[in-house]
Amino acid sequence: MSVALASSSIPSSTRQEPLRVMVVDDSVVIRGMISRWIASEPDMVVAASLRTGLEAVNQIDRVNPDVAVLDIEMPELDGIAALPKLLAKKKNLAVIMASTLTRRNAEISFKALSLGAADYIPKPESTREASAADNFHFDLIQKIRTLGAKARRTAPVPHAPAAPHVQELRPAPALRPAVAHAPTPAVSAQIARRSFSSQMPKVLLIGSSTGGPQALMSVVTELGPVIDRFPVLITQHMPPTFTTILAEHLARSSRRPAHEAIDGEVVKPGQIYLAPGGRHMRVARHGAEVVIALDNGPPVNFCKPAVDPLFTSAVDVWQGSTLAVILTGMGSDGMRGGKDIVAAGGSVIAQDEATSVVWGMPGAAANAGICAAILPLNQIAPKLVRLFAGDRS
């Protein structure tokens, strides 16, 4: 994966006013490495490099960061304890939780998301492993850039004349993050919608990334009538261990069986199948049955697991009876697979901009003109229940 890609498509206004990033980690090695990466980017600066959560809480007013990269395990005040204190002092601060890939840290990261963290990122076990460090570098810079732009947009604007300046800070449309309390921009009303497929759906596919865990939990809570009668397959951009925890959370939220998919297992109604971290999940015909096919191929759209492989493979199995949902996330993963679904006669629904943490993936699908509906998060599950009950409107 080329880290140089992280610097592409930087808005000119962001270059003029670099994002202010606060790095909080008790490891001098990690702190120094992240700080060097940030300092080398033309659109961001290291506002502070701190050792503990307590230092971050005490200095946030002076530092005034747009983004905080917050370690979980630190002396004096750890990341999960510092998080609400930081957000209390700066409501629109974008906090990215950083942790090693342990079950305990994965659980804490999920808790952090529920407390207001914008995202999480797994730290490599060893910075000496080049590929792991490169992936961490690329992912971290992309998250800082995208979530930092959102933080700028959600910052209080003291005077009305400043509005054009705020608009100027928007990234390109495919990666434009949302303002949670703002209405969907007028341009969304101009995006072409397709008619829903005339074929009854036989499977539900969901793809998501940044902001996805919370969105998924919200959707599956109301999906019982669908899950009971049809298989549900989900790809969330997430590393190993984290997907294990996510599957457990999905099972609790849906009150239905949910687990990381196993290579070769038969796909059945009544189950939620989650792509395991580090593996692409596809489906394939095996005689009269549909089975899971996992592979360890290269990243797709810089992601592994990726949404496109699942969506595209489903067309070979269910053709026009495929219904896919693309939820909040950075990038455009799912758009190409969504095109394949629509070309085969199936349907795609995208989450709207106003309720997305980042309107990258759903925005790419919407702007490609492949969506039959672009809906707020709280309207997606009710719509799915109606569609799987036979309502084609």
Side-chain angles (χ1 to χ4, degrees):
M1 183 180 297
S2 174
V3 174
L5 290 173
S7 299
S8 63
S9 302
I10 303 170
S12 60
S13 56
T14 308
R15 294 193 188 98
Q16 295 167 8
E17 298 187 25
L19 294 169
R20 296 178 58 79
V21 186
M22 180 169 69
V23 182
V24 190
D25 198 302
D26 65 329
S27 166
V28 65
V29 174
I30 295 293
R31 212 164 58 240
M33 179 178 68
I34 293 175
S35 295
R36 287 192 298 275
W37 291 342
I38 293 168
S40 69
E41 296 294 327
D43 59 329
M44 54 188 75
V45 297
V46 180
S49 176
L50 307 172
R51 177 175 171 270
T52 73
L54 184 61
E55 291 179 8
V57 172
N58 290 340
Q59 296 192 40
I60 186 170
D61 291 334
R62 177 186 64 80
V63 173
N64 190 29
D66 299 298
V67 180
V69 181
L70 187 62
D71 186 24
I72 286 179
E73 296 177 325
M74 294 179 290
E76 295 181 334
L77 192 68
D78 62 22
I80 198 68
L83 174 63
K85 297 179 184 293
L86 292 171
L87 293 176
K89 289 197 169 191
K90 185 165 185 180
K91 184 178 179 181
N92 66 306
L93 177 68
V95 179
I96 302 170
M97 304 301 295
S99 70
T100 51
L101 279 174
T102 65
R103 182 180 176 92
R104 176 180 177 273
N105 286 343
E107 288 279 16
I108 293 172
S109 296
F110 275 95
K111 182 179 180 183
L113 292 174
S114 71
L115 293 175
D119 207 351
Y120 59 88
I121 188 166
K123 294 192 289 189
E125 296 291 336
S126 170
T127 57
R128 292 187 295 274
E129 186 181 342
S131 62
D134 283 351
N135 291 346
F136 178 49
H137 182 175
F138 179 89
D139 291 344
L140 180 61
I141 294 300
Q142 292 293 77
K143 288 174 188 287
I144 290 172
R145 179 166 292 127
T146 303
L147 295 170
K150 176 185 176 180
R152 284 280 177 87
R153 289 185 58 201
T154 57
V157 182
H159 302 294
H165 174 70
V166 174
Q167 186 176 9
E168 192 177 79
L169 287 172
R170 284 188 172 191
L175 287 174
R176 187 167 62 243
V179 181
H181 57 272
T184 303
V187 67
S188 292
Q190 301 168 10
I191 294 174
R193 268 75 156 187
R194 309 177 66 90
S195 297
F196 277 101
S197 173
S198 60
Q199 300 182 51
M200 181 72 180
K202 296 179 180 178
V203 64
L204 174 60
L205 312 177
I206 305 177
S208 53
S209 184
T210 307
Q214 308 96 303
L216 286 167
M217 242 70 80
S218 174
V219 170
V220 302
T221 298
E222 303 178 58
L223 272 188
V226 175
I227 301 168
D228 290 341
R229 298 175 55 212
F230 304 91
V232 176
L233 295 93
I234 299 172
T235 294
Q236 159 71 38
H237 296 165
M238 190 172 267
T241 306
F242 281 69
T243 48
T244 303
I245 305 300
L246 177 58
E248 294 170 3
H249 281 259
L250 291 172
R252 286 197 291 269
S253 295
S254 65
R255 299 177 300 280
R256 303 294 190 281
H259 65 278
E260 289 179 294
I262 301 168
D263 189 49
E265 73 173 311
V266 177
V267 176
K268 299 178 179 178
Q271 301 276 339
I272 297 175
Y273 301 86
L274 179 68
R279 295 289 185 274
H280 296 305
M281 178 172 69
R282 293 179 170 86
V283 288
R285 282 274 178 202
H286 186 71
E289 296 178 321
V290 179
V291 298
I292 296 290
L294 302 181
D295 76 68
N296 195 25
V300 176
N301 302 317
F302 305 106
C303 303
K304 187 178 174 183
V307 178
D308 277 337
L310 172 63
F311 282 13
T312 298
S313 69
V315 172
D316 294 331
V317 173
W318 290 288
Q319 292 82 43
S321 294
T322 305
L323 177 55
V325 176
I326 301 177
L327 298 175
T328 174
M330 289 192 291
S332 62
D333 192 23
M335 184 266 288
R336 290 182 182 85
K339 284 184 175 180
D340 292 338
I341 289 171
V342 169
S347 299
V348 175
I349 295 173
Q351 184 176 350
D352 75 349
E353 182 177 12
T355 62
S356 294
V357 173
V358 179
W359 208 54
M361 288 166 51
N367 285 309
I370 62 173
C371 297
I374 303 167
L375 301 174
L377 182 62
N378 65 358
Q379 293 182 23
I380 291 176
K383 182 65 173 180
L384 291 172
V385 171
R386 292 194 299 272
L387 288 168
F388 278 91
D391 182 351
R392 304 266 72 80
S393 59

